[in-house]
Amino acid sequence: HQNIVRLLEVHLNEAPFYVEMDYVEGLSLKSWCEQQGGVEKVPLAVRLEIVAQIADALHAAHDAGVIHRDVKPGNILVSQPVTPGAQPNAKLSDFGIGQVTSGEVLQGVTKAGFTQSIVADSSSARSGTQLYMAPELLAGEPASTRSDLYSLGVVLFQLVVGDLHRPLTTDWSRAVDDPLLREDLSRCFASRPEERFA
């Protein structure tokens, strides 16, 4: 997918072990925003476009049977457009703690050289960055596509309020003036995972 950093080669047979990925000429979302003068200096439409691109990337990953499990500004790479006036390009990276949930995909991964299937257990459910983790993950429940949506919702909230360090609190809606954005975010943060976007 154009908004996912492409995996080129996996070498896990003998040391040195490595994963080779496309080089993305860009910065993490946080560093990119700082380069623009701060999150608040980036037009809201551009911030929303970045989230839309990452949402497309997550949709593609989920359709392929992969849950990212660590969506956060540090795993979103942003590069300046080549064409003046065009939107920046965002790519989702670091599927390192991701989870493959599709049997068909697992067969393909094994054929590609991996020797172990990826299985969720209660300890792996807590892997990730806590500020962006869905409540069910903090409770030790398994990751799902909806947990990724929660994490992306936190990133969206932070971009809307102009602070990539701001934690999500129970009064988050007071900081979001736009009613449509409040509604979208409330779906991301629904108390039960099944109430989030399908």
Side-chain angles (χ1 to χ4, degrees), residues 80-84 86-87:
Q80 287 298 107
V82 177
T83 309
Q87 295 282 13

Side-chain angles (χ1 to χ4, degrees), residues 29-111:
L29 178 58
K30 179 178 180 285
S31 298
W32 182 82
C33 287
E34 288 169 355
Q35 188 181 65
Q36 309 307 306
V39 179
E40 64 284 350
K41 299 289 186 189
V42 178
L44 181 59
V46 173
R47 291 180 253 167
L48 296 177
E49 174 60 26
I50 289 169
V51 172
Q53 290 178 28
I54 298 306
D56 283 345
L58 276 176
H59 186 265
H62 294 165
D63 280 353
V66 177
I67 300 170
H68 188 281
R69 298 180 63 218
D70 198 20
V71 178
K72 61 183 179 181
N75 288 337
I76 297 172
L77 301 177
V78 183
S79 54
Q80 287 298 107
V82 177
T83 309
Q87 295 282 13
N89 187 35
K91 289 186 181 275
L92 186 59
S93 69
D94 195 359
F95 281 78
I97 64 167
Q99 177 180 340
V100 179
T101 59
S102 162
E104 292 173 14
V105 173
L106 276 174
Q107 287 177 347
V109 167
T110 303
K111 288 177 187 170

Side-chain angles (χ1 to χ4, degrees), residues 21 35 40 73 107 138 140 147 151 153 161 163 179:
M21 303 181 81
Q35 188 181 65
E40 64 284 350
Q107 287 177 347
L138 293 170
S147 356
S151 301
V161 300
D163 183 356

